[in-house]
Amino acid sequence: MPDYKAPVRDIRFVINEVLESGKLYQTLPRFEEATEDLMNAILEEGARFAENVLARLNRNGDEEGCHWTAEGVTTPEGFKAAYRQYVDNGWPALAADAEHGGQGMPSMLGIVMTEMAGTANWSWNMYPGLSHGAVNTVETHGDAGQKKKYLTKLVSGEWTGTMCLTESQCGSDLGLLRTKAEPESDGSYSITGTKIFISAGEHDLTENIVHIVLARLPDAPAGTKGISLFIVPKFNVNEDGSLGERNAVHCASIEEKMGIHGNATAVLNFDGAKGFLIAEPNRGLNAMFTFMNVARIGTAIQGLAHAELSFQGALSYARDRLAMRSLSGPKNPDGPADPIIVHPDVRRMLLTQKAFAEGSRALLYFLAQQGDIMVAGTEEQAKAADDLMSLLTPIGKAFVTEVGFEAANHGVQVFGGHGFIREWGMEQIVRDARIATLYEGTTGIQALDLIGRKVLGSGGKLLVGFTDIISEFCDAHSGTEHAEFVKPLRALKDEWAEVSMKIGEAAMGDANEAGAAAVDYIMYSGYITLAYFWARMAVVAQEKIAASDEDVSFYEAKILTARFYFERLLPRTESLKVTMLAGAGNLMDMPEELFQL
């Protein structure tokens, strides 16, 4: 397994220099304490914990996995002690509201911590990771009693939370959900049903787990309009906050998975478990989206994490591994061969990993920053931030996880045959990364959401909101020194609007046209979105170089990576444009009976 080193310099660059977070948070009353100095100090401490504690457990977690018995689930050796240290250091409360015991820091800092912890050990990171969504859901939709009973201990990390959506017959199509909720005389509900694929659904890290569960009331209408949301704790909670008797929710088994072996993916049986309605009856899906949006950004971070970890491993190997001579002459004349980093194809893979990791970091931190503006900005600012998040969250989740998986595969390829061998740890990154394109809504589901609900459903308004930002950036940096980035970005921004209109017009005649274009469209959108952030980073780097007489190698690397992205990766939009405008006929014209084995 590669030795993880938190990319602190690059994280600081994005937070402080590109997104200018210190200035922003001074204008948001809720986050005025988040100064640049304080954020840097938190970043340094988080990096040490990720490198020195979590990274050392990553390989063991994969090899040992979790252990199931009828009494519960035991996590891999070291996971429980690491979690206790995590709680003792106050990390779960970092970005939570001070009213419930949180530290009141911006959620962007929570995302930074998620990246570092997740890159060091994604399986471990999933245990506290899902609690953030549970906290947001209870905080937003819970009543005063529910907040008092659950929030403080969820915020502190004493308890963890889950989201329980999926059933064997019901994945992304939640309208097929069967779990029932029967009202009881005491105002609670009896929850009966089975949920599958529940990440961190059972474990030994905390004394209680608070499940957020979707279920149907007896008189609920069919489909998604008849779904309600419930709090179902593993142990019931007494009025004084102490734990009561064990609730009737039990882990029937844990899944044998391709990757993330250190995290327990549970099958949970609810056998008349005591639950409590949260939000309005039959409006559970609306409330769950509070949870889902947080989870989707968290899953997008997984794509970034695995791109970063695979890049670090591949870069170290490429510098040490000797094979063949450089095509332009020996670079290691005293050795038997040159390090493979001199070869163009290895450079192609390394730069692809680097460009995806660093570009994704800027995009996802920007998204987290918009979340902070939503909760602390003016009404006008909050609306603009909400619109941006609506458009960019599906892009972040789908695109970043897809390119993160591509980057993980490049890491194996750099190692050659050694990449296929477990002892190096590169194949684990691929296995762990693969799930990210699936859960919290597959790439196809995210793509339909983007093109259907967000772009066409808003009449193009959400897209225009973002392309206007790109236009303003291009106008502000139209000088010749930035032309190599601004000119192609401006052209693609205009093309994005034109292509969207063409798909929308075609979909008016045949709804399958939108579905046929969807995945290519979201990838196309992702490349343009990342181009905007790479252009921003390149401009900042150019300005820093011009203003400094000190070592500028970091900024020079930024500009060279941006150039690689624009010349080698951004052109993928050309083929994506062709395929997404090719129409639905080549997919739908073949009769089903002709799909023969």
Side-chain angles (χ1 to χ4, degrees):
M1 178 57 60
D3 290 328
Y4 173 61
K5 182 68 176 176
V8 172
R9 178 65 185 90
D10 196 65
I11 292 174
R12 285 205 311 263
F13 171 71
V14 174
I15 292 175
N16 300 327
E17 299 174 58
V18 178
L19 299 181
E20 297 183 305
S21 300
K23 292 181 182 178
L24 171 68
Y25 291 128
Q26 294 310 297
T27 70
L28 300 177
R30 184 169 171 176
F31 301 122
E32 288 175 322
E33 293 184 7
T35 63
E36 185 172 317
D37 287 344
L38 179 59
M39 289 189 288
N40 287 340
I42 291 171
L43 170 60
E44 295 287 348
E45 285 299 316
R48 278 191 281 272
F49 178 72
E51 293 169 356
N52 299 328
V53 178
L54 299 182
R56 296 177 181 180
L57 301 173
N58 196 7
R59 182 166 183 173
N60 172 65
D62 180 63
E63 293 180 345
E64 180 185 346
C66 296
H67 309 279
W68 177 91
T69 68
E71 285 70 43
V73 171
T74 304
T75 53
E77 183 179 356
F79 273 41
K80 190 171 184 178
Y83 186 80
R84 178 47 48 198
Q85 185 175 343
Y86 177 79
V87 171
D88 289 344
N89 290 344
W91 291 115
L94 178 65
D97 195 324
E99 181 182 352
H100 306 294
Q103 298 173 34
M105 289 290 105
S107 64
M108 187 190 68
L109 277 179
I111 289 295
V112 171
M113 186 61 197
T114 296
E115 184 204 330
M116 293 189 295
T119 310
N121 191 330
W122 190 263
S123 289
W124 181 93
N125 182 66
M126 291 175 70
Y127 290 103
L130 287 168
S131 294
H132 299 304
V135 167
N136 288 345
T137 302
V138 176
E139 189 173 42
T140 304
H141 301 288
D143 61 34
Q146 290 168 342
K147 291 177 182 179
K148 180 179 179 181
K149 187 173 286 189
Y150 300 105
L151 270 184
T152 300
K153 292 190 177 180
L154 281 171
V155 164
S156 71
E158 275 188 77
W159 300 346
T160 58
T162 72
M163 53 191 300
C164 298
L165 289 75
T166 306
E167 300 175 10
S168 59
Q169 81 294 341
C170 163
S172 298
D173 187 357
L174 292 171
L176 301 177
L177 183 145
R178 295 174 184 163
T179 298
K180 298 178 180 179
E182 298 282 348
E184 298 290 332
S185 59
D186 63 356
S188 67
Y189 293 80
S190 176
I191 310 297
T192 302
T194 297
K195 299 289 185 178
I196 65 170
F197 301 162
I198 308 306
S199 300
E202 176 64 18
H203 56 76
D204 60 350
L205 304 185
T206 59
E207 61 181 1
N208 204 10
I209 303 171
V210 179
H211 303 293
I212 307 295
V213 183
L214 288 179
R216 290 188 182 282
L217 295 168
D219 57 351
T224 56
K225 294 181 179 180
I227 298 175
S228 298
L229 189 64
F230 299 86
I231 298 173
V232 184
K234 176 180 175 179
F235 284 91
N236 289 311
V237 183
N238 298 320
E239 290 304 316
D240 63 359
S242 63
L243 293 185
E245 62 183 9
R246 175 70 188 260
N247 206 352
V249 51
H250 297 277
C251 179
S253 65
I254 54 175
E255 305 290 354
E256 295 293 330
K257 306 186 298 293
M258 177 180 178
I260 55 169
H261 294 154
N263 192 268
T265 302
V267 175
L268 295 181
N269 287 335
F270 296 84
D271 300 312
K274 186 178 287 293
F276 304 90
L277 181 69
I278 183 170
E280 298 176 22
N282 303 324
R283 297 281 294 172
L285 202 56
N286 302 74
M288 180 60 86
F289 272 109
T290 304
F291 205 140
M292 290 295 292
N293 284 333
V294 173
R296 284 171 177 167
I297 296 173
T299 304
I301 287 288
Q302 185 175 0
L304 160 58
H306 288 119
E308 175 67 38
L309 186 60
S310 188
F311 169 65
Q312 291 192 15
L315 177 62
S316 177
Y317 186 81
R319 284 172 167 160
D320 293 338
R321 176 70 170 177
L322 303 181
M324 302 181 291
R325 289 296 186 187
S326 167
L327 296 174
S328 59
K331 300 298 186 290
N332 179 34
D334 295 331
D338 288 329
I340 63 173
I341 197 171
V342 307
H343 302 310
D345 190 54
V346 173
R347 291 288 185 102
R348 173 187 63 83
M349 292 184 283
L350 291 173
L351 280 166
T352 298
Q353 293 176 301
K354 179 177 171 65
F356 282 149
E358 295 176 9
S360 296
R361 181 173 294 119
L363 164 60
L364 298 181
Y365 287 12
F366 173 82
L367 269 176
Q369 197 178 70
Q370 297 310 302
D372 292 327
I373 294 171
M374 278 180 61
V375 301
T378 64
E379 185 176 346
E380 183 180 355
Q381 289 173 323
K383 177 63 168 64
D386 189 23
D387 286 347
L388 280 172
M389 289 192 74
S390 293
L391 179 79
L392 296 179
T393 296
I395 294 174
K397 195 282 174 184
F399 180 81
V400 173
T401 57
E402 289 285 353
V403 299
F405 183 60
E406 178 185 335
N409 277 299
H410 284 316
V412 170
Q413 196 75 8
V414 169
F415 274 69
H418 290 285
F420 203 64
I421 306 301
R422 290 192 65 185
E423 67 180 275
W424 292 94
M426 300 303 287
E427 57 81 39
Q428 181 193 333
I429 301 173
V430 174
R431 289 186 287 104
D432 287 353
R434 187 63 185 89
I435 186 63
T437 65
L438 302 175
Y439 56 12
E440 315 310 341
T442 64
T443 299
I445 293 295
Q446 301 297 330
L448 287 171
D449 178 46
L450 175 66
I451 197 168
R453 295 180 64 245
K454 305 302 172 56
V455 177
L456 302 182
S458 72
K461 290 181 181 178
L462 293 181
L463 179 59
V464 169
F466 182 52
T467 56
D468 281 351
I469 291 174
I470 298 176
S471 292
E472 291 172 8
F473 170 82
C474 291
D475 291 343
H477 301 93
S478 57
T480 56
E481 70 273 26
H482 308 311
E484 66 175 305
F485 305 116
V486 170
K487 186 177 179 180
L489 178 60
R490 189 191 297 275
L492 276 170
K493 177 266 300 181
D494 293 337
E495 183 183 272
W496 193 1
E498 294 168 5
V499 165
S500 301
M501 187 178 299
K502 288 181 180 179
I503 295 172
E505 290 172 352
M508 290 176 68
D510 179 1
N512 280 329
E513 291 290 340
V519 169
D520 290 335
Y521 181 83
I522 203 168
M523 295 304 293
Y524 172 90
S525 303
Y527 282 110
I528 297 173
T529 300
L530 231 62
Y532 164 66
F533 286 101
W534 265 115
R536 283 185 63 172
M537 290 190 287
V539 166
V540 171
Q542 288 168 331
E543 292 172 348
K544 293 290 184 179
I545 290 172
S548 178
D549 56 2
E550 300 178 0
D551 179 20
V552 293
S553 57
F554 173 85
Y555 299 113
E556 290 171 344
K558 277 289 172 204
I559 294 170
L560 291 170
T561 308
R563 186 169 297 145
F564 170 85
Y565 182 84
F566 270 76
E567 295 179 358
R568 285 272 180 167
L569 297 179
L570 189 57
R572 294 181 182 183
T573 54
E574 296 178 19
S575 62
L576 288 167
K577 178 185 176 183
V578 172
T579 54
M580 68 181 161
L581 294 180
N586 49 55
L587 298 177
M588 307 306 295
D589 287 351
M590 182 182 288
E592 183 178 341
E593 60 268 20
L594 294 186
F595 282 88
Q596 299 174 358
L597 298 178

